[in-house]
Amino acid sequence: MLNSIALVGGTHGNETSGIQLVRNWRQHGLPQRFSDLNVSLNIANKEALAANVRFLEQDLNRQFTFDALAENNIAKEAMLAKTLNEQLGPKGNSKTDLVIDVHNTTSAMGATLIILETDEFHIQLARYVKHHMPEANILLEDEKPYLEHGYLCTTGKKGVMIEVGAQPQGVLREDVYLLTQTMAEVILDFCMAYNEGSITTDALPPCDVFRLGENVSFPLDEEGYRTAMIHHALQDADFKPLLPGQPVFRTFDGKDIVWESSTETYPHFINEAAYFKLNVAFATADKILL
Amino acid sequence: MLNSIALVGGTHGNETSGIQLVRNWRQHGLPQRFSDLNVSLNIANKEALAANVRFLEQDLNRQFTFDALAENNIAKEAMLAKTLNEQLGPKGNSKTDLVIDVHNTTSAMGATLIILETDEFHIQLARYVKHHMPEANILLEDEKPYLEHGYLCTTGKKGVMIEVGAQPQGVLREDVYLLTQTMAEVILDFCMAYNEGSITTDALPPCDVFRLGENVSFPLDEEGYRTAMIHHALQDADFKPLLPGQPVFRTFDGKDIVWESSTETYPHFINEAAYFKLNVAFATADKILL
């Protein structure tokens, strides 16, 4: 049973759609059909929100490993993580059955559900979301065990993220907001069905899931400056198959750099603003059937 | 004669296309046909660029009024403005004949040339740009005299801005970059023709220009929170006619707010991230023939 659910916005202070969803549900209430669910509505990083920045000192959504939570780190977000871990967790022994953390991205990833595990619960959730919201993408980040992730959502017994784009930081777009709200509602619909015991894995068809591969960096010169930009053929093509030989970058002197792998991949987080300083151009993924 | 031209990027540190254009022209040189022009390539706010923010303390692009330049303001950008005014200006008695300041916006404004005057030079420039780059928009901000603006470009005897979008802050998109480069080249082509005396106003057909009206704010509740977002019908519709009765906002409880003016307008800077804190939803404009 999912007796306690936490919906979180504002883990990144300039990602507006989750913040607005929390505000609106606080003001107008959740849709009536969820009245049997116990859902708390949370804004994670109020100071970053007031400053309209992703974070003030360190990325809050990387602070929730056991090591980081145990460290004596006086950065604002490190201290905030400890407080939130008390409120929502504590991680590993949580009072919250499910944490839903709401994000948005400058990449054209549409409405994406990020799951971190492939146990029975998450298979059912992924299939349910894909079945009831066919335009959704499911992204699986299971390169390490659930509790080893540093994400805020891992303070819950179970934790997932909603990631919707394309939306610039500090901007609220109606299309992105509505996709965010729809995905949050579909997840809560799943929670209702799960609690009622009306979900069985076999009843839902298997669904395509994108399994995270690795980050691909921008090409840099010796001084660390980029020598190329995302190719127009790749820009906004998140989760579309990228085939060997297809262009990935366009250098500033006008040459194409192509995808040199021997296999196709499914790029996402293409040209995400938050990864600017890390020089991450996009992430790869394999498509699997879950 | 335009003996001295300054091209400036990075007046806002997270507007990447002008920064990249300056870097690329420094590294690879300007196109050969501009070899007779004296063009300096400048990065305005290096600290903001390193921090990947619009500005550190105050908006640099509002610091160039005579009053602000005379004030004893110790904010980083106020002090930087004095240095830049020495380099590029000084305003009112400038060593630079033309300052071209390159910006980008999260609004879908395409390639927009912003001019601040309607004298013979700027009429010729506007017509030339529109003639050689028909997809360009010309935006006229002449609500006050040229030298009363606080913009960096007013350090030049003449000053214009390039404003291209939609591009999130901290992201470089190939499409936006190429539009930026094309518009910069068309302006320099004009400068060549102007210096050669081969431009006459009569030789170029009159062109449509959008004349800035006023800013329209988001509707707010008593606590200052927004009660509505840009309507999907208005989002990305920069410089398209907005007619009386057409929807402008969608409230968070699902109602449409329509354009109640008696006349059509040409909205732009729709949902611009930099105006988030000011709660500016968009600016209006009239369409005139120049």
Side-chain angles (χ1 to χ4, degrees):
Chain A
M1 284 288 286
L2 302 164
N3 291 311
S4 168
I5 299 166
L7 185 90
V8 182
T11 296
H12 294 131
N14 55 12
E15 294 180 4
T16 60
S17 20
I19 296 163
Q20 195 64 55
L21 182 62
V22 166
R23 280 189 185 147
N24 290 344
W25 278 359
R26 278 181 179 169
Q27 184 164 2
H28 304 294
L30 271 71
Q32 181 60 31
R33 68 185 188 275
F34 302 130
S35 57
D36 287 346
L37 289 176
N38 172 20
V39 182
S40 71
L41 301 169
N42 308 270
I43 298 289
N45 197 344
K46 289 168 195 161
E47 278 193 76
L49 191 162
N52 188 27
V53 294
R54 183 174 173 87
F55 55 82
L56 294 166
E57 295 183 347
Q58 294 183 0
D59 192 328
L60 178 62
N61 208 28
R62 304 292 182 271
Q63 303 295 325
F64 293 88
T65 60
F66 285 115
D67 282 355
L69 288 167
E71 263 176 38
N72 187 18
N73 180 347
I74 59 161
K76 280 178 193 286
E77 278 81 8
M79 295 196 295
L80 176 58
K82 292 182 176 69
T83 305
L84 291 165
N85 188 47
E86 288 306 308
Q87 279 176 28
L88 301 170
K91 177 163 174 160
N93 184 28
S94 184
K95 69 181 81 61
T96 309
D97 293 313
L98 176 63
V99 173
I100 306 165
D101 190 20
V102 186
H103 292 258
N104 54 265
T105 168
T106 62
S107 307
M109 286 169 58
T112 298
L113 171 67
I114 302 179
I115 59 174
L116 306 173
E117 297 181 280
T118 52
D119 58 10
E120 186 70 11
F121 174 86
H122 288 87
I123 293 172
Q124 291 177 0
L125 172 63
R127 290 182 179 183
Y128 186 96
V129 167
K130 190 72 185 168
H131 189 69
H132 290 86
M133 191 180 181
E135 72 271 38
N137 300 301
I138 315 291
L139 178 61
L140 169 62
E141 299 190 13
D142 67 343
E143 74 282 8
K144 54 188 168 189
Y146 173 66
L147 287 174
E148 289 183 19
H149 285 279
Y151 297 133
L152 178 143
C153 69
T154 63
T155 56
K157 285 200 186 85
K158 304 171 195 302
V160 299
M161 287 175 277
I162 296 174
E163 184 77 78
V164 188
Q167 179 168 271
Q169 297 171 343
V171 168
L172 184 71
R173 290 180 60 99
E174 187 185 342
D175 53 358
V176 168
Y177 178 77
L178 292 180
L179 282 173
T180 304
Q181 179 181 299
T182 298
M183 180 167 271
E185 291 187 11
V186 171
I187 294 171
L188 294 179
D189 282 327
F190 171 81
C191 293
M192 294 283 290
Y194 184 87
N195 282 351
E196 289 161 8
S198 61
I199 298 267
T200 61
T201 308
D202 296 344
L204 292 165
C207 70
D208 284 337
V209 166
F210 299 101
R211 183 178 223 163
L212 176 65
E214 57 186 3
N215 288 332
V216 176
S217 296
F218 283 100
L220 305 177
D221 66 16
E222 289 170 1
E223 294 175 54
Y225 289 110
R226 294 184 190 174
T227 58
M229 53 192 159
I230 296 288
H231 194 281
H232 62 263
L234 181 62
Q235 179 71 51
D236 303 329
D238 297 77
F239 295 125
K240 305 276 192 305
L242 173 65
L243 306 180
Q246 288 186 336
V248 174
F249 297 112
R250 169 70 61 96
T251 68
F252 293 121
D253 54 355
K255 300 183 186 74
D256 286 356
I257 297 175
V258 302
W259 183 240
E260 297 212 333
S261 170
S262 59
T263 55
E264 71 178 18
T265 192
Y266 293 83
H268 58 283
F269 281 122
I270 297 168
N271 230 351
E272 159 57 41
Y275 304 152
F276 175 88
K277 286 197 178 181
L278 304 171
N279 282 312
V280 171
F282 59 91
T284 64
D286 292 326
K287 189 158 81 171
I288 61 170
L289 202 65
L290 196 67
Chain B
M1 284 287 287
L2 302 164
N3 292 311
S4 168
I5 299 166
L7 186 89
V8 183
T11 296
H12 295 131
N14 56 11
E15 293 180 5
T16 61
S17 21
I19 296 163
Q20 194 64 54
L21 182 62
V22 166
R23 279 190 184 147
N24 291 343
W25 278 358
R26 277 181 178 167
Q27 184 164 1
H28 304 294
L30 269 71
Q32 181 60 31
R33 67 185 189 275
F34 301 129
S35 57
D36 286 346
L37 289 177
N38 172 20
V39 182
S40 70
L41 301 169
N42 308 270
I43 299 289
N45 198 345
K46 289 167 194 161
E47 277 193 79
L49 191 162
N52 188 27
V53 293
R54 183 174 172 89
F55 55 81
L56 294 167
E57 295 183 349
Q58 293 183 1
D59 192 329
L60 178 61
N61 208 28
R62 305 293 183 271
Q63 304 295 324
F64 292 87
T65 60
F66 285 116
D67 282 355
L69 289 167
E71 263 177 37
N72 186 19
N73 180 346
I74 60 161
K76 281 179 192 286
E77 277 81 9
M79 296 197 292
L80 176 58
K82 292 183 175 68
T83 304
L84 291 165
N85 189 45
E86 288 305 308
Q87 279 175 30
L88 301 170
K91 177 161 174 161
N93 184 27
S94 184
K95 68 181 80 62
T96 309
D97 293 314
L98 176 63
V99 173
I100 306 165
D101 189 21
V102 186
H103 292 258
N104 55 265
T105 168
T106 62
S107 306
M109 286 169 57
T112 298
L113 171 66
I114 302 179
I115 59 174
L116 307 174
E117 297 182 279
T118 52
D119 58 10
E120 185 71 9
F121 174 86
H122 288 88
I123 294 173
Q124 290 176 3
L125 172 63
R127 290 183 180 183
Y128 186 96
V129 167
K130 190 72 186 169
H131 189 69
H132 289 85
M133 190 178 182
E135 72 271 37
N137 300 301
I138 315 290
L139 178 61
L140 168 63
E141 298 190 13
D142 68 344
E143 74 281 9
K144 53 188 169 189
Y146 173 66
L147 288 173
E148 288 183 20
H149 285 278
Y151 297 134
L152 178 143
C153 68
T154 63
T155 56
K157 284 198 186 89
K158 303 173 195 304
V160 299
M161 287 176 277
I162 295 174
E163 183 77 76
V164 188
Q167 179 168 270
Q169 297 171 343
V171 168
L172 184 71
R173 290 180 60 100
E174 187 185 341
D175 53 358
V176 168
Y177 178 76
L178 292 180
L179 282 173
T180 304
Q181 179 180 299
T182 299
M183 180 166 272
E185 291 187 11
V186 171
I187 294 171
L188 294 179
D189 282 327
F190 170 81
C191 293
M192 295 281 291
Y194 184 88
N195 282 351
E196 290 160 7
S198 61
I199 298 266
T200 60
T201 307
D202 296 345
L204 290 165
C207 69
D208 284 337
V209 166
F210 299 101
R211 183 179 224 163
L212 176 65
E214 57 185 4
N215 288 333
V216 176
S217 295
F218 283 99
L220 305 176
D221 66 16
E222 289 170 1
E223 293 175 55
Y225 289 110
R226 294 184 190 174
T227 58
M229 52 192 161
I230 296 287
H231 195 280
H232 63 265
L234 182 62
Q235 179 71 50
D236 304 329
D238 298 76
F239 294 125
K240 306 276 193 307
L242 173 66
L243 306 179
Q246 288 186 336
V248 173
F249 297 111
R250 170 69 62 96
T251 68
F252 294 121
D253 55 354
K255 300 183 186 75
D256 286 356
I257 297 175
V258 302
W259 183 239
E260 297 213 334
S261 170
S262 58
T263 55
E264 71 178 18
T265 191
Y266 293 83
H268 58 283
F269 282 121
I270 298 168
N271 230 350
E272 159 57 42
Y275 304 151
F276 175 88
K277 285 195 181 182
L278 303 172
N279 282 312
V280 171
F282 59 90
T284 63
D286 292 328
K287 189 158 81 170
I288 62 171
L289 202 64
L290 196 66

